[in-house]
Amino acid sequence: MLAVCAFLAAPAYGQKYTYKDSRNYEVVTLGVGTDGTKVFKIYVTEKNEKKAIALAKKAAVEVCIFRGLPSAGAVSGTPALCSSSDEQKHSAFFENFFTPGGQYLRYVNITSDGVIPEQDKIKVKGGYKIGLIVQVMYDNLRNDLQDAGVIRSLNSGF
C-alpha cells in the first residue's frame, strides 16, 4: 500500500520565501534508492506539461527540505531536513537556492520526464496534473545544507 501525502502551500511562517510556485502537490513514496537517495512520485498541476515537469522537480526538493516524505508499506517516513526556525533564519538562502534553474536541480538525479505514462498526465481545468517519478539525492542535499550552515549536523545534538 502506498502512502499519499498532499501539501497545499501557504506562506511559510511569515518569512519572505514562500512556496508560491509549488502551490499544490501530492507525494507518493515509492522507496529508498541506492546511495542515499529517496524515490517517490510527485504530482503537480500547472498550465502546460513543460511547466508541470519543471515545477515537479522543484517541489520534489522542497518536500525533502521542508515537509518530509510519508511512510509507505515497509518504507519509513522521512522527516523534513529543515526546521521552521532554520527555514525562517535562512530565507535568503532558499530564495537563491530555488530560483529557476537554481541549485536545487543538482539533487534531482532521475526523473520520468522523458516518457510520462498517460495515466500520469491528466488534463484538468486550467492545465495538466502530471505525476513524475523522481530520485532525490537526499544525503548529498542534507550534507550540503549542513555545510552551508542552514541545518545542524545529525550528530551535533539538540
Side-chain angles (χ1 to χ4, degrees):
M1 176 132 188
L2 297 175
V4 176
C5 188
F7 300 108
L8 294 176
Y13 310 105
Q15 81 277 4
K16 186 176 177 186
Y17 176 76
T18 63
Y19 311 111
K20 64 183 178 214
D21 289 337
S22 301
R23 322 171 259 295
N24 182 3
Y25 48 86
E26 299 170 23
V27 176
V28 178
T29 302
L30 300 177
V32 177
T34 58
D35 299 327
T37 65
K38 304 290 181 184
V39 180
F40 53 97
K41 184 179 279 190
I42 188 153
Y43 291 90
V44 298
T45 303
E46 190 52 83
K47 292 181 183 179
N48 66 53
E49 186 177 336
K50 184 177 177 182
K51 286 183 179 183
I53 290 169
L55 178 59
K57 292 176 184 180
K58 180 181 177 196
V61 177
E62 286 180 351
V63 166
C64 292
I65 295 174
F66 300 117
R67 300 296 179 233
L69 297 168
S71 60
V75 180
S76 298
T78 304
L81 289 170
C82 188
S83 70
S84 60
S85 63
D86 291 333
E87 180 183 353
Q88 291 173 345
K89 184 177 176 183
H90 300 284
S91 62
F93 171 86
F94 290 119
E95 282 183 58
N96 183 51
F97 187 80
F98 285 110
T99 58
Q103 294 175 334
Y104 71 93
L105 287 171
R106 297 184 321 171
Y107 305 99
V108 180
N109 192 28
I110 297 173
T111 68
S112 60
D113 63 349
V115 180
I116 299 174
E118 287 304 312
Q119 68 266 21
D120 289 335
K121 188 175 9 177
I122 305 162
K123 179 79 171 142
V124 294
K125 183 177 181 178
Y128 290 90
K129 181 176 180 179
I130 301 289
L132 191 68
I133 296 173
V134 295
Q135 180 184 41
V136 173
M137 295 184 294
Y138 187 84
D139 287 355
N140 291 350
L141 176 60
R142 183 185 67 238
N143 291 336
D144 289 350
L145 290 174
Q146 288 171 357
D147 291 346
V150 174
I151 62 172
R152 286 183 267 165
S153 161
L154 290 176
N155 57 8
S156 69
F158 291 96

